[in-house]
Amino acid sequence: PPKRGSPPAAPAPRDHLVWAIFNTLYMNFCCLGFVALAFAIKARDRKVSGDVEAARHFSSKARCYNALATAGSVVLPLLLGALIVTGVIHLSKLAQESVGFFTYQFSGSDDEDQ
């Protein structure tokens, strides 16, 4: 137990290892999940060895890379989906306009043959 009057011990930094493993296996955008995994392992090693400041530093880097990997892996598919939907809508409008053009062309050529 800590002595009376001494400052409370700072909590050990989180290593974000589970999040990094998830990003590495399932959402490895530009290898950021692998980089986050490397920093998470370094943070855990420093925490076990007792170097709390280095553990905090590597934990912060692991959290940053995990956030980037997650954001990239969520935002890019949403952006791609939005582009596909708008492309399909645009192509359907073009197809509707071209149907009118082709029916006009075919009906005009039929009148000239008679």
Side-chain angles (χ1 to χ4, degrees):
K3 294 181 180 178
R4 199 169 235 186
S6 65
R14 296 181 59 190
D15 53 22
H16 307 288
L17 187 63
V18 174
W19 189 13
I21 290 171
F22 178 76
N23 277 333
T24 301
L25 293 177
Y26 296 108
M27 300 190 310
N28 198 9
F29 172 70
C30 291
C31 295
L32 291 176
F34 182 72
V35 174
L37 181 64
F39 280 116
I41 290 171
K42 285 183 179 185
R44 178 166 281 196
D45 289 345
R46 296 303 189 275
K47 183 169 65 170
V48 168
S49 69
D51 190 0
V52 177
E53 280 306 310
R56 275 197 179 85
H57 174 72
F58 289 127
S59 173
S60 173
K61 285 190 177 276
R63 184 180 63 237
C64 179
Y65 283 112
N66 274 323
L68 286 173
T70 303
S73 297
V74 169
V75 168
L76 286 179
L78 290 176
L79 182 64
L80 182 63
L83 287 173
I84 289 172
V85 167
T86 56
V88 166
I89 290 171
H90 181 69
L91 287 176
S92 69
K93 286 182 181 179
L94 283 175
Q96 288 173 355
E97 292 171 3
S98 66
V99 165
F101 173 76
F102 285 121
T103 56
Y104 173 76
Q105 291 285 42
F106 290 136
S107 64
S109 64
D110 288 341
D111 291 339
E112 292 173 2
D113 290 340
Q114 293 176 353

